[in-house]
Structure formats: C-alpha cells, structure tokens
Amino acid sequence: IANRAIEILGGKKGDYSAINPNDDVNCGQSTNDVIPTAGKMTSLRLLQNLKKELLRLHGALCKKAEEFDHVIKMGRTQMQDAVPIRLGQEFQAYSDAIMRDIHRMDKAMDEMRTVNMGGTAVGTGINADEAYVSRIVPNLSKISDIQFVQAFDLIDATQNLDPFVAVSGAVKACAVTLSKIANLPAKQNGSSIMPGKVNPVIPEVVNQVAFNIIGNDVTITMAAEGGQLELNAFEPIVFYCLFQSIDTLAYAVQTFIDNCVTGITANEERCRQLVENSIGVITAICPHVGYEKAAEIAKKAMKTGESIRNLILREGLLSEKEMETVLDPVNMTEPGISGKELLRK
C-alpha cells in the first residue's frame, strides 16, 4: 500500500521517506486488534450463510409437518411403543427445534459485532491517533456493510475470547439438534456383498459433521481458557476450528435438505397398522379403569397376543361406542384432552 501511494505521488518504490509503511499506513494498528476483528468478520459472513441454510431447512420441515399431519404412528420412548402421535407433529417439533437454533445464530452474530479495533497492543490504544480510534469502527462498518460496534472496554475485548466460545456453543447446539434429527431414511446401496442393504448416508454425513463440531468446540474452549494476562495467543486455532465448524455445518444442512428431507415419504397404512396393533394405546383407558387394571390388560395382551380392544370388550370395561372414542388414536394426539373429556364431548 505504501509503495502504491509512493507511485501515485510520483516517487520511487522503496523510498519510504515520502510514505512509510509503519508510520503512515499501519497507523497504530496491531495484530492484537486487527486479527480478532478479521476473525469476527469472517465468522459473521459464515454465520449468515449457515442461517440461510437453516431457514431453508425450517421451511422444508414445516412442509413435511403439514403433509404428514394426518398420518398416525406410534410415538417411541426408550425405543419402545409409547402412545400415538401424528407424524406431522414429529416434523413440526423438528422445525421448532431448528427455529430455536436460528435464534441462537442471531445471538451468535451479535456476539461477533463487538470489536476491539483501536485498542492496539493490549487495549490501551497506545500509538494510535485519537481520530483513528474514534473513526476506525464506523468506517469498517461502512466499507464491509456489516454493523460493528467498538467494545466499551478495549482491554477486556483484547484479552478475552469468550465471544468465540459462545458462538462455538451455539453452533455445537445446532449440530447436536441436527444429529439427533438425522435418524432418517436410507439413500444408496451400502454393501458390495449384501444385496439390498441400503445405508442412510446423508444422515450419517450430518452425524459425522456434528461429531467434528463437538470436538472443535472442546478445542475452542480450551484455547480461550489458555490465554495469559493481556493477550490470548491461541486465536489461530480458535479461528481454524470455528470457521470449519460453521462452514461444514452449513454444507451438511444443505445436503440434508436437498438429498434427504425433501424426499421423505410416509407409509401411512403401515404406520396406522402399527398403532392399531400396539399395546401402547392402553394408556388411554387409565382414566376409566385405573392404572392397575390397565397394566393387567397390557400384560395379558403381551402374553396372549390378543388385541387390546378385544380384551377390553371381553371384560366389559368399555362399550364399543366408548372404546371407539377413547381408543381413537387421533384423539390421543391432542394434548390436554383426557379420555373422560372425550366421552363428554
């Protein structure tokens, strides 16, 4: 920059008597305020891209929630039948979780908007012109088209990297949510020796990205903790891990949407069949016959293989009309409505 200015002024490159790289160009900047600010600028741009993909995922999940709203299936707890739920409700829950992550990304971006430019070496602003200290952040915001604010305490902002820990935590939380959701359909042939074996490769991509992000978060946490006194020398590994986490998560979300979520279909008939033959529906008769009697019916059903409906009718616990209302799986998916209330209705 100094040499180009010298050329424009008609001088000879390398003759720094006219324009000096340190005195005139660097103008009091330090790696200790420039590098972390550059790291925050990069994080913001990457987070904006991640948020864009998360909004797409939220939209895709909302569409599936609407598409599957009428599909009844068994809810599962500890990998066993619990009570009925609509498939659309499951996807709505997924979309709500993603929206919560989007809100965390907004907070994470706010963490990255406060910079220590003007603090120079340790935050005291030594050797920086007073006009430079007051103007650098507004000008940076104007040039980058990103809204930055100068830290109230430049010493604190120079020595502490906890904002990066907070951002990494938000990214990790999002990765954990996605990894849990990603227990979804198979995509391609998965074996060269086992015909018909199909692997869920796209969800597995999401899982693996999440595992890496969790590891990166540990590294970022330890690096932020390891700083000494007025400066943390471990910003390079913080940036390396954080940029990788944000970037790879955005691509994982992208492929998850395009190669998995949008193509999910429901086997409605099979889902309903599993509900109707599940012992889990016994929960709905507890308000009518009590827990002990309901448990007795459930045990008989497991032992004999007979349906819950037949056992209830045989023992005269409910009439056919009552049973059609109480054991209607759709009614069981509406929160806050008990079996007795359904009968009154």
Side-chain angles (χ1 to χ4, degrees), residues 159-172 212-227 232 234-235 237-239 241-242 245:
Q159 66 181 230
N160 292 311
L161 301 186
D162 52 285
F164 293 103
V165 178
V167 172
S168 179
V171 174
K172 180 184 74 171
N212 190 59
I213 288 170
I214 293 166
N216 282 345
D217 182 65
V218 174
T219 300
I220 291 166
T221 301
M222 296 310 297
E225 184 274 336
N232 191 313
F234 307 124
E235 287 173 341
I237 192 62
V238 169
F239 298 157
C241 290
L242 185 60
S245 290

Side-chain angles (χ1 to χ4, degrees), residues 281-292:
V281 296
I282 194 69
T283 304
I285 74 164
C286 284
H288 303 278
V289 301
Y291 180 88
E292 295 296 332

